[in-house]
Each structure stands twice: as C-alpha cells, then as structure tokens.
Amino acid sequence: MTTDSTPIDTTQRTLFSEGPLRPIQRAACVVVIHGEGLGRRADIHDAPVLIGRSHEADFTILHNSVSRQHCRILRDGTHCRIEDLGATNPTRINGRKLEGSAELADGDQITVGESILKFIAQDSVEARYHEEIYQLAVHDPLTDLHNRRHFVEMADREIVQALRHGRPLTLCIIDVDLFKPINDRYGHISGDEVLRRIGALVRQQARSGDIAARIGGEEFALLLPECTLEDAIATAERLRASVEAARFPLDGEDQRLTISIGVATLADGCASRGALMAAADAALYRAKDEGRNRVCRHP
C-alpha cells in the first residue's frame, strides 16, 4: 500500500470582483437634531426650501423663537446655499451669525431659533437614522397611525391652507363603543389587538392626502382635506359598516364590535382646530346618546 505525501491545499481562494456597486446619489437634506421637530427631515431638490414658523413654509418649525420666514436653502449647481431672511433671531451656521448667504458644507449645523438642523450633503445612513427617530416621534406605535401631537400640527397647517384657498376640510372623530368592558373582560393585550385592527380599518378608508391618527386611548381622528361634509359622512358610514362587519377574535371567540363617529366641517364659527374638534366631539357624543354604532354630523 502506498500513500501520497503531497499536502492538500484547503485554503479557500478569493475571487476578485469589480467591487460593490456605487450607491445612487440622492438629494441633500437638513435634519432637525435638537429642539422642536427632532428628527424631521427636508430633502433639497431644485426648488428652494423655505424654513420658518409659517404654515406656508416648506419646512415648518412651530416655535416662537422661529420667524415666520426664517431662512431659505437653495441648490446652486452641485452645491447648496443658505440665506437668512431677516429673522428676529438670526440664522447661525456652526454657531456664527449668518451674514446674507453662505455655501453649506456637509455636517454644517444650522441654528434656527432654538432648533438646530444638520446639513447632510447626500442621503446617508445618518440621514435615514434621523428619519427613523422622527417616525418614532410622530407615529402611534400600536396602530402605526399618526399620534395626537403630530395630528395637531398637521391639522393646524391644513386649516390654514383650507381657509386661505377657500377649500372644504372635514374632520371625523371615531370612538370604539363599549371599549372599557373589552379591556376588563379580555385584558389589555386583547384590547390592544382590537385597537390595532380598527386602526387598520381607519387607514383603509383614508385617501392618500387624508390624515389618520390615534388621538386618545380608543379614539381616532380622520381629517379629510378638500372633502365636503356629505362626502365625509359617506366615508364615515363606510368605516362604521366595515367595523360592524369585522370579526374580532377575543379569548378564542369571534366578537362583533361597533364604533360611533362625529363629523364636522370647517365653516364660519368653526374655523379653528379647537372649534372644529369641539364640533366633531359634540356630534360624537350625540351618536353615543342616540344608541351608538352610528354617524352624526354637526350641527
């Protein structure tokens, strides 16, 4: 018997490639890293980005330290420039007062009132990280709808737009009927699943431009821009019927649940967020008083 004494090479050989594909170059952006709107992001394309407290701004920061039209960022060829617009609290770049305008460099920190924005020259892991932080800040983690704070901010902006341009704006406030007994009997885990399911049904009825939010424990809101009262009532009826037709598995049994909805529209005497929400709430209470599982309008 003979043996081959030649050693066997077991080393894995590396095959060289042309290297990883280059990432697609995306828009530069600014991200709020401190203060009001933490994590919010605005991409900078060809159109200028107006930053200010006004709801008409492209990037709104709702804080009294911010002027209505505070500063503007615009693309200049392959670079971006920032201009101060005579803000009461002057715009600062990396702590220095901005005189007129200046070119932005990757990583520059822009102070706008009491908020600090970071300029990122192109889309990156860092920009996406800040975007994720923002999403966590504005979404309800249970239903993945907007949370109450973000709903309030967007509702204020939509009301300004509707009044300025004479467009209809309607609000639906939705409440789950007899929700407390569900939590008491089946527990909070089952109650959370009910809310998650109803949140999904609310989302299904929302159009692309509508704003759906969870604004309380078992209370939801659906803001409908450019939607008349009659059309909003039809949407609310479809939502009510979809919940009534759904089956909710609770403790191994399919249960039926219902919702009540109050609907109000922006009009004379009801031209602010507070007044609009109060009117929709009043309609909701009437729906409850009249037997639940129904849609009522205001007035």
Side-chain angles (χ1 to χ4, degrees):
M1 182 175 181
T2 60
T3 59
D4 187 354
S5 60
T6 303
I8 299 174
D9 185 0
T10 59
T11 303
Q12 182 177 348
R13 297 182 181 276
T14 300
L15 297 178
F16 288 96
S17 70
E18 296 179 356
L21 296 175
R22 292 186 177 183
I24 298 173
Q25 296 294 309
R26 300 191 180 183
C29 65
V30 286
V31 179
V32 180
I33 61 171
H34 174 79
E36 182 68 28
L38 179 66
R40 286 185 60 206
R41 164 181 169 174
D43 290 335
I44 304 165
H45 299 288
D46 293 333
V49 175
L50 173 63
I51 300 171
R53 195 176 75 251
S54 169
H55 291 289
E56 299 295 320
D58 303 300
F59 193 71
T60 304
I61 301 177
L62 294 174
H63 195 276
N64 290 336
S65 64
V66 179
S67 295
R68 291 183 59 80
Q69 294 189 5
H70 202 101
C71 60
R72 180 188 294 114
I73 300 176
L74 60 159
R75 182 175 292 280
D76 181 10
T78 59
H79 303 282
C80 291
R81 298 189 65 81
I82 183 168
E83 300 175 347
D84 182 79
L85 299 177
T88 302
N89 295 310
T91 308
R92 294 181 176 272
I93 306 297
N94 302 322
R96 289 187 172 185
K97 180 180 176 181
L98 173 63
E99 301 288 352
S101 69
E103 184 175 314
L104 288 168
D106 187 40
D108 277 349
Q109 294 191 6
I110 306 164
T111 301
V112 178
E114 294 183 10
S115 292
I116 299 175
L117 288 66
K118 186 171 185 177
F119 174 72
I120 300 173
Q122 67 183 54
D123 193 20
S124 65
V125 171
E126 181 183 8
R128 290 191 290 275
Y129 165 77
H130 287 295
E131 177 69 17
E132 288 182 16
I133 294 297
Y134 175 63
Q135 292 303 322
L136 289 173
V138 301
H139 280 82
D140 171 53
L142 180 62
T143 63
D144 201 34
L145 299 177
H146 296 298
N147 60 24
R148 184 184 182 95
R149 178 182 177 183
H150 193 51
F151 171 79
V152 165
E153 179 181 324
M154 292 190 295
D156 284 340
R157 186 165 188 167
E158 289 295 337
I159 287 169
V160 169
Q161 294 282 357
L163 293 174
R164 180 181 296 273
H165 301 290
R167 297 169 181 165
L169 179 69
T170 310
L171 172 65
C172 301
I173 293 185
I174 304 127
D175 190 81
V176 183
D177 294 329
L178 301 173
F179 182 72
K180 186 177 184 302
I182 294 172
N183 265 345
D184 292 344
R185 180 175 178 182
Y186 299 105
H188 290 284
I189 294 177
S190 295
D192 285 351
E193 186 56 37
V194 166
L195 296 176
R196 189 178 295 112
R197 180 87 180 278
I198 290 178
L201 293 172
V202 172
R203 190 183 304 109
Q204 286 177 12
Q205 293 300 327
R207 306 166 302 174
S208 60
D210 294 341
I211 300 165
R214 181 184 175 207
I215 59 173
E218 65 269 22
E219 195 170 60
F220 299 83
L222 183 59
L223 189 67
L224 305 162
E226 300 190 35
C227 184
T228 64
L229 182 60
E230 290 71 21
D231 288 340
I233 289 172
T235 297
E237 283 288 358
R238 287 194 298 270
L239 174 58
R240 183 204 60 76
S242 70
V243 173
E244 184 182 31
R247 299 294 181 269
F248 296 84
L250 296 170
D251 199 19
E253 298 181 2
D254 284 346
Q255 303 285 346
R256 289 175 178 266
L257 300 176
T258 61
I259 57 174
S260 298
I261 305 176
V263 185
T265 193
L266 201 64
D268 291 340
C270 187
S272 68
R273 174 177 46 81
L276 183 62
M277 293 187 72
D281 264 332
L284 172 63
Y285 292 141
R286 192 166 76 252
K288 295 282 191 181
D289 290 341
E290 292 178 4
R292 305 184 184 91
N293 190 27
R294 65 193 63 218
V295 176
C296 285
R297 59 184 286 176
H298 178 86

